[in-house]
Amino acid sequence: MEIPIFTVDAFTNVPFKGNPAAICLMENELRDDLYQSIAAEMNLSETAFITKGNSVDFSSGARFGLRWFTPKNEIPLCGHGTLASAAVLFYIKKNVNPVLVFETMRGELYVRQHEESLIMDFPLNKPNPQDQHEIKDLLKAAVGDLPIQDVCYCPTTKKLMVRLADACDRSELVSLRPEAESLLRNETTGKIRSLIITLKGAESTQSGYDFYSRVFAPWVGVPEDPVTGSAHTVLAGYWSEKLNKKKMLAYQCSSRGGEVKLEIRNDGRLDIIGQAQIILQGTLKI
């Protein structure tokens, strides 16, 4: 069997930045263990599998199935994998539809083109306050002695969000080196699948970023996720209330870096806006 496969850098307008995802165009469904083996072989934070469903082909169809796998397991929602999937359909397959619909474990996700960007229509996931004392060892493993302003948890996404105090600056966020083994050792309940560390943007800088973040997910086999859309469904839910804004510009401070535009819609959902670069095209033989 030969499967068209692509590597796409999401949330960037230049190659080798943002978050890379492998995208597979599937003529037929595979067994779950084969999906997982392919994802482990690609060894990127996520590998996405697009299935045709009832669509005739990838160029004329408007509705597709979409699943995402880390090297370790399947996940229910992936932002950069969705952005990268739409990029392959729009830019390589020249899909003719103004809007693509992806059927996923989290329901229908919509992606449309706007100039050089892609706009994803995602659910907004507002986190709830979390008792810091209950997870004090995990927080220590995550941020060391840096002061913490807020800790929130989103049960829908199983993401823990830690906001550093405003006295911290971007360089301190960038310098954090939480050890995957320590995070795993201090969280074994299965309640948390991803750790978000975030910081308010400094008003004195010219960057224009409303907030910064980094994301660590060793529980699903991803030590650090370079730029993640699903984490921004939680971050947008938090920061929109704190900043009293519906439109925000965010930057994820991984070694690859990535810019994410966010707009909370009138219907309560979230538009995640970003660019993508297709850097590799080939054939997977299994």
Side-chain angles (χ1 to χ4, degrees):
M1 181 186 300
E2 295 188 346
I3 300 170
I5 189 166
F6 308 83
T7 299
V8 183
D9 289 342
F11 295 115
T12 179
N13 61 354
V14 294
F16 314 122
K17 295 291 185 180
N19 198 353
I23 309 299
C24 297
L25 298 180
M26 309 299 301
E27 292 289 339
N28 302 290
E29 293 272 7
L30 299 178
R31 301 192 315 270
D32 284 3
D33 64 311
L34 284 177
Y35 288 131
Q36 189 61 70
S37 294
I38 293 170
E41 181 78 11
M42 300 313 298
N43 200 31
L44 296 174
S45 54
E46 275 83 21
T47 297
F49 299 90
I50 308 173
T51 53
K52 289 195 300 185
N54 293 326
S55 295
V56 175
D57 55 44
F58 292 108
S59 299
S60 64
R63 180 178 291 270
F64 303 95
L66 182 60
R67 297 173 70 179
W68 312 276
F69 288 76
T70 75
K72 187 175 179 180
N73 53 252
E74 185 172 13
I75 57 172
L77 185 67
C78 177
H80 89 279
T82 305
L83 191 79
S85 297
V88 168
L89 294 177
F90 279 131
Y91 303 154
I92 298 295
K93 304 307 291 185
K94 307 298 182 185
N95 193 284
V96 298
N97 294 283
V99 179
L100 298 177
V101 184
F102 293 110
E103 298 174 350
T104 78
M105 291 173 65
R106 281 286 163 80
E108 294 183 348
L109 304 176
Y110 305 85
V111 186
R112 64 189 188 275
Q113 294 188 82
H114 178 68
E115 297 176 349
E116 295 182 352
S117 296
L118 297 171
I119 302 176
M120 301 186 294
D121 175 354
F122 265 47
L124 183 66
N125 295 302
K126 295 184 179 181
N128 306 315
Q130 165 69 43
D131 184 349
Q132 296 186 31
H133 182 73
E134 292 180 356
I135 54 171
K136 58 183 176 60
D137 292 336
L138 177 61
L139 294 176
K140 178 73 172 179
V143 303
D145 295 324
L146 290 180
I148 293 172
Q149 183 145 336
D150 271 336
V151 178
C152 297
Y153 175 71
C154 179
T156 305
T157 62
K158 293 189 174 181
K159 296 184 188 296
L160 180 73
M161 191 210 76
V162 179
R163 175 185 173 184
L164 298 177
D166 292 348
C168 298
D169 61 26
R170 177 177 170 176
S171 66
E172 291 174 294
L173 175 61
V174 172
S175 297
L176 283 175
R177 297 290 184 271
E179 296 182 357
E181 294 80 6
S182 183
L183 296 178
L184 291 169
R185 186 168 58 250
N186 286 289
E187 163 47 37
T188 59
T189 66
K191 178 182 175 181
I192 297 169
R193 294 171 65 90
S194 180
L195 167 68
I196 306 166
I197 305 175
T198 187
L199 177 68
K200 183 180 178 182
E203 295 178 2
S204 59
T205 66
Q206 300 300 313
S207 68
Y209 295 121
D210 293 293
F211 63 87
Y212 302 103
S213 67
R214 291 177 68 190
V215 179
F216 304 90
W219 300 277
V220 295
V222 181
E224 180 169 7
D225 209 336
V227 195
T228 162
S230 59
H232 281 87
T233 68
V234 177
L235 287 162
Y238 174 83
W239 282 113
S240 64
E241 292 188 353
K242 297 298 180 181
L243 300 173
N244 193 27
K245 284 186 173 183
K246 285 194 170 185
K247 294 184 179 182
M248 293 166 285
L249 181 63
Y251 188 81
Q252 195 158 329
C253 300
S254 66
S255 60
R256 293 177 64 99
E259 185 175 281
V260 184
K261 295 179 181 179
L262 304 162
E263 294 187 12
I264 297 178
R265 299 153 53 104
N266 291 332
D267 62 4
R269 288 177 65 84
L270 176 68
D271 278 348
I272 302 177
I273 306 161
Q275 294 179 267
Q277 302 294 311
I278 299 170
I279 64 166
L280 185 148
Q281 179 174 350
T283 303
L284 181 67
K285 297 182 178 181
I286 61 173

